[in-house]
Amino acid sequence: MTVHTTRTTLTTAVILLALGAAGCSTNMPTDPQPTTGSQTTSAANDPFHIDKPRNLAAISDPCKLLTPQQLQELSAGPPETDKSEWGQAACRWSNQQLAIKVSPDTVQQQGLAYTAKIYGDSSGKPTAQVAGYPAVHGGTNDLRCNVFVGTSEKQVLSVSFSTGSQGRGNPEYADPCAMGDKVAGMVLENLPPA
């Protein structure tokens, strides 16, 4: 009888131990990856994060990055082909009122983070936004501003705005960075999703 009791007790203990282990394992997380909520928070805290990336490379002719209607609204001159500092095709419009240069950067593949190290805040982060896209201003003075906008993780739009000799009395040109932001915002409207 003692052997039977011991066997029953042992069997019961093994069953309870197995059930206990099974119960514990169902409470353990099976996926060590972060939750969607933490990924969203991480993206929200990333100053270079772009919710709706745009494909800057989709428009191969930089002189087509602004529509004729937009150019008329800006009172821009006729287009002239140009080159960017990184050797990619760019486009320039100038007259005695203003000069605009639009330079896509789809070849360096460094995104806005590289430019922000030069023109961003002291920690190398964007200092502006254009239509919800991270941006930095550089080379600024009373008459000129360069605007760099991250259109995707790897692509950057550069817009240079300068006030011409006859545009200096125009109150709209008093803030060249605001004008550069306006032009960059117009280009963003014309870019398809990435």
Side-chain angles (χ1 to χ4, degrees):
M1 190 150 183
T2 309
V3 173
H4 179 68
T5 306
T6 305
R7 215 179 265 164
T8 305
T9 306
L10 259 171
T11 306
T12 306
V14 168
I15 291 171
L16 288 174
L17 192 61
L19 287 173
C24 287
S25 67
T26 56
N27 292 333
M28 299 276 296
T30 55
D31 185 5
Q33 297 300 317
T35 63
T36 307
S38 66
Q39 289 174 341
T40 304
T41 304
S42 173
N45 292 334
D46 179 3
F48 298 100
H49 177 72
I50 297 170
D51 285 329
K52 297 177 182 177
R54 300 283 179 170
N55 185 3
L56 189 54
I59 301 175
S60 57
D61 180 357
C63 291
K64 303 283 185 199
L65 288 170
L66 291 166
T67 67
Q69 295 80 12
Q70 290 170 330
L71 292 168
Q72 186 176 5
E73 180 185 334
L74 293 167
S75 301
E80 304 167 37
T81 56
D82 204 341
K83 282 242 182 226
S84 66
E85 292 78 8
W86 48 92
Q88 193 169 351
C91 193
R92 181 177 171 81
W93 297 265
S94 61
N95 56 35
Q96 293 181 333
Q97 299 289 319
L98 55 81
I100 297 168
K101 182 176 177 181
V102 175
S103 308
D105 179 2
T106 61
V107 295
Q108 295 187 100
Q109 299 289 300
Q110 296 185 37
L112 188 65
Y114 176 76
T115 308
K117 287 178 185 173
I118 302 166
Y119 296 118
D121 67 13
S122 60
S123 60
K125 293 180 181 170
T127 53
Q129 278 202 348
V130 175
Y133 290 78
V136 292
H137 296 149
T140 62
N141 60 35
D142 291 345
L143 302 174
R144 180 168 197 239
C145 184
N146 294 323
V147 180
F148 302 90
V149 183
T151 60
S152 72
E153 187 181 321
K154 306 269 186 187
Q155 300 179 357
V156 177
L157 169 67
S158 169
V159 174
S160 173
F161 179 86
S162 300
T163 305
S165 59
Q166 292 185 9
R168 293 180 188 174
N170 186 334
E172 189 178 17
Y173 302 164
D175 183 351
C177 287
M179 281 302 299
D181 289 352
K182 178 179 178 177
V183 174
M186 289 177 164
V187 173
L188 286 167
E189 289 174 13
N190 303 329
L191 299 178

